[in-house]
């Protein structure tokens, strides 16, 4: 196993500077408070001689010689401006990065600033951040930092600077490794002292020059060249349609014609498939015309709605049918929920369209599609600009960034192959135009390589790093995502896996098959293993004493702290559904999960675990183990096919009531609660089961409900979704869920999830609720596939997930 530590984490500092007269109220002139500190640091003439200069359209910035600087056109942000990036790299990768967003629209800039400041005013204090009024070159500013006493931010920050030279505003954002935070902040502060905006006629602005070396003087005026543009080649788009529309060339220029059978989307025809190549065909024609539209497997090549959205973001505007030109695009059906698309290949009051899925070169008036089960002839024509500016005006979508989720979270799922990709994480990545979740749940074995000293039995946990073998298991991308999420105030819940318990019988042949080894004698003492067996080899996958579980938590926590994670960002779950995974039904294991002995043994095990952690590793924050619902924990058989409210108790008690050492709140106990909750469509209200509610927390013992609801103890639902359904009746909740496939009715699925999440948070007081799951690439796991929000087949988000995530707080 690779034992080299990684250093992918960042710290950030947030500065908001505003000098627009409309924002000067940030620092009241009538205040008697002390004058804010000047955040920028002067740079000496000697240093300035060595520093490089980046000259943008209306901006000059200097940066150190060992940094790289460049302008670039970002994909997300605000309209009318430019973006710049400065990076410091060593042999281990990126040490620090400063991103600069320049905004020339004062209204947009003020809205962006207000959104960010409001967010940190509301959420900053409880996350350990503070807002401090400073100045930058004597202009009023906000500095949002981690609250450390040495003036260096300890966690996620975003630097935002607003300048009123020609009503222009800036946003600076620093990220760096934990050990480079002082140097990163120093460079940022010195760069701020070199910032010099220039007056520019933005209507004539061209693409910024690349970063200049040799220290071009900041006083040098920069005169923008004439507007640089890229024309849309309508004849090339027409030529593409003429070549590929009728099937004489059976695919497209990328070799693919899209087919679908109700579950699988691919480029190969099978019996029973039908063509769904309409958006793809038009996508390729637009690409042939010279527009940089993404191809397969981007949504703009798969779905008409996504194609329409991309065209709008690229500057295409609607026109009357009589004004449509060759190469324009006809969106068919309601504009918000389109059902087909074609390329304009003939003009007039009734334009001629070329289409795929059904191959036509036909007058638009003859073409229709079905919306809501009814035929519609409605069409909207989107027209390309004559020229598309290369750089300005810069159209950057999704700004202000989506508000971080209030209670909605995500379980990342299972990756047995490669890393989580940027595409998979885009919707849940606040830095990529998505929205940060309230909580993220991840299994320890999926991200961290926990190593043991194999040369020194008993082979105890010796440390942890991130899986980083490019030819094997490499999880550096998802770790970078988790690092940034933690630094943005997201709660990370790390579920220890594997967590098999510590049973005396675990060393016997045939373990853990209950038919071969039915005994379940749980060892609860720290440091004691079955007959003194060590953890060497793969033994630790069969049994783990409580101290071994806690030592893994500490090793991961230590690695995260080295890499700049906030100290209070995370919780650990010590096990996953032990009432289901450790014990079986009546007659299968001794004891079985319907017997008090099993619950009392688990109570002793987890009570000793938290006591050991509290005594030896005080920095750890640990939640109660999440029990499987409908398996005697809360006293309801949610999975009963005839009566989902069927009582299910052990004698007259619930499993939770039999575990008071674990679940009763006490000094020295667990730091919060976690549980799982799957439910049936139509049962979303926060009621008891007999009154139509499917909320596990509604049936907690009074001692648990009181602490969660009245005393506001940390509480998280770490797995939630609609119950699965399969034709062979193997789905959850005994196949009683009326939604058989979430993608069959994405609107109903999304609405159901929104209702359930809101009920659980507002009435049940859960701090965060994680949908299970984002992605699964483990073969043969049909149950996982039913729940996942990102499709393996199309490499895009399912419609139900897209709708739900964007609309749920």
């Amino acid at each position: 196993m690779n034992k080299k530590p990684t250093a992918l984490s960042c710290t950030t500092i947030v500065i908001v500077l505003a000098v627009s007269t409309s924002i000067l109220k940030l620092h009241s002139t009538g205040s008697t408070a002390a004058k804010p500190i000047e955040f920028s640091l002067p740079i000496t003439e000697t240093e300035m001689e060595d520093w490089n200069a980046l000259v943008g359209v209306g901006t000059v910035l200097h940066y150190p010689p060992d940094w790289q600087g460049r302008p670039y056109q970002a994909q997300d942000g605000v309209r009318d401006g430019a973006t710049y990036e400065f990076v410091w790299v060593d042999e281990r990768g990126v040490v620090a990065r400063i991103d600069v967003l320049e905004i020339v629209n004062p209204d947009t800039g003020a809205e962006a600033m207000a959104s960010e400041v409001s967010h940190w005013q509301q959420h900053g204090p409880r996350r350990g951040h503070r807002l401090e009024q400073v100045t930058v070159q004597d202009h009023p500013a906000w500095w949002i930092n981690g609250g450390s006493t040495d003036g260096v931010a300890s966690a996620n920050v975003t630097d935002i600077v607003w300048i009123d030279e020609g009503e222009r505003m800036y946003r600076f954002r620093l990220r760096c490794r934990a050990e480079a935070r002082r140097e990163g902040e120093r460079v940022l502060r010195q760069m701020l002292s070199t910032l010099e905006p220039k007056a520019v006629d933005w209507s004539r602005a061209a693409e910024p020059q690349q970063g200049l070396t040799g220290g071009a003087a900041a006083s040098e005026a920069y005169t923008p060249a004439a507007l640089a543009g890229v024309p849309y080649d309508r004849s090339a788009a027409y030529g593409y349609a003429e070549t590929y529309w009728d099937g004489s060339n059976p695919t497209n220029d990328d070799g693919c014609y899209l087919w679908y059978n109700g579950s699988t989307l691919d480029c190969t025809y099978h019996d029973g498939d039908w063509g769904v190549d309409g958006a793809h065909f038009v996508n390729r024609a637009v690409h042939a015309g010279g527009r940089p539209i993404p191809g397969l497997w981007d949504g703009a090549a798969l779905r008409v709605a996504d194609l329409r959205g991309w065209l709008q973001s690229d500057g295409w505007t609607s026109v009357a049918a009589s004004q449509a030109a060759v190469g324009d695009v006809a969106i068919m059906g309601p504009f918000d929920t389109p059902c087909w698309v074609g390329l304009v290949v003939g003009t007039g009051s009734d334009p001629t369209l070329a289409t795929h899925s059904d191959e036509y070169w036909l007058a638009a008036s003859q073409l229709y599609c079905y919306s809501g089960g009814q035929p519609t002839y409605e069409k909207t024509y989107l027209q390309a600009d004559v020229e598309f500016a290369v750089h300005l005006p810069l159209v950057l979508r999704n700004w202000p960034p989506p508000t971080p989720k209030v209670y909605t979270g995500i379980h990342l799922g299972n990756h047995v192959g490669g890393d989580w990709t940027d595409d998979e994480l885009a919707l849940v990545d606040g830095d990529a135009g998505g929205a940060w979740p309230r909580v993220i749940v991840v299994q320890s074995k999926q991200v961290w390589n926990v190593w043991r000293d194999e040369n020194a039995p008993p082979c105890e946990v010796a440390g942890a790093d991130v899986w980083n073998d490019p030819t094997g298991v490499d999880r550096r991308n998802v770790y970078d995502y988790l690092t940034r999420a933690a630094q943005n105030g997201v709660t990370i819940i790390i579920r220890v896996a594997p967590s098999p318990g510590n049973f005396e019988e675990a060393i016997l042949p045939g373990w853990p098959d209950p038919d071969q080894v039915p005994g379940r004698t749980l060892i609860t003492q720290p440091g004691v293993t079955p007959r003194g067996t060590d953890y060497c080899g793969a033994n630790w996958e069969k049994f783990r004493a409580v101290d071994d579980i806690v030592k893994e938590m500490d090793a991961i926590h230590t690695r995260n702290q080295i890499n700049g994670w906030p100290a209070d960002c995370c919780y650990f779950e010590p096990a996953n559904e032990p009432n289901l995974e450790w014990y079986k039904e009546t007659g299968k294991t001794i004891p079985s999960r319907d017997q008090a002995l099993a619950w009392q043994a688990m109570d002793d095990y987890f009570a000793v675990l938290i006591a050991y952690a509290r005594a030896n590793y005080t920095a750890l924050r640990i939640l109660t183990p999440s029990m499987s619902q409908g398996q005697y924990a809360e006293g309801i058989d949610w999975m009963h096919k005839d009566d989902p409210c069927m009582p299910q108790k052990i004698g007259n008690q619930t499993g939770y009531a039999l575990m008071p050492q674990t679940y009763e709140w006490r000094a020295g106990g667990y730091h919060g609660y976690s549980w799982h909750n799957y439910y049936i469509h139509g049962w979303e209200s926060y009621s008891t089961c007999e009154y139509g509610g499917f909320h596990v927390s509604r049936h907690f013992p009074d001692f648990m409900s009181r602490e969660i609801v009245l005393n506001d103890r940390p509480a998280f639902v770490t797995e939630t979704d609609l119950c699965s359904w399969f034709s062979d009746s193997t789905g959850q909740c005994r196949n009683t869920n009326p939604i058989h496939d979430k993608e069959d009715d994405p609107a109903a699925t999304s609405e159901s999830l929104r209702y359930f999440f809101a009920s659980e948070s507002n009435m049940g007081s859960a701090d965060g609720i994680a949908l299970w799951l984002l992605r699964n690439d483990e073969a043969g796991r049909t149950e996982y596939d039913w729940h996942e929000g990102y499709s393996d087949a199309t490499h895009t988000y399912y419609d139900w997930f897209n709708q739900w995530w964007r609309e749920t707080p």
Side-chain angles (χ1 to χ4, degrees), residues 739 741-750 800:
I739 291 183
D741 186 326
K742 290 185 284 187
E743 200 67 350
D744 284 347
D745 195 341
T749 299
S750 173
W800 69 263

Side-chain angles (χ1 to χ4, degrees), residues 8-31:
L8 303 177
S9 63
C10 308
T11 59
T12 43
I13 302 162
V14 177
I15 301 172
V16 180
L17 177 72
V19 282
S20 172
T21 54
S22 64
I23 307 175
L24 282 174
K25 63 184 179 182
L26 290 176
H27 299 311
S28 172
T29 56
S31 173

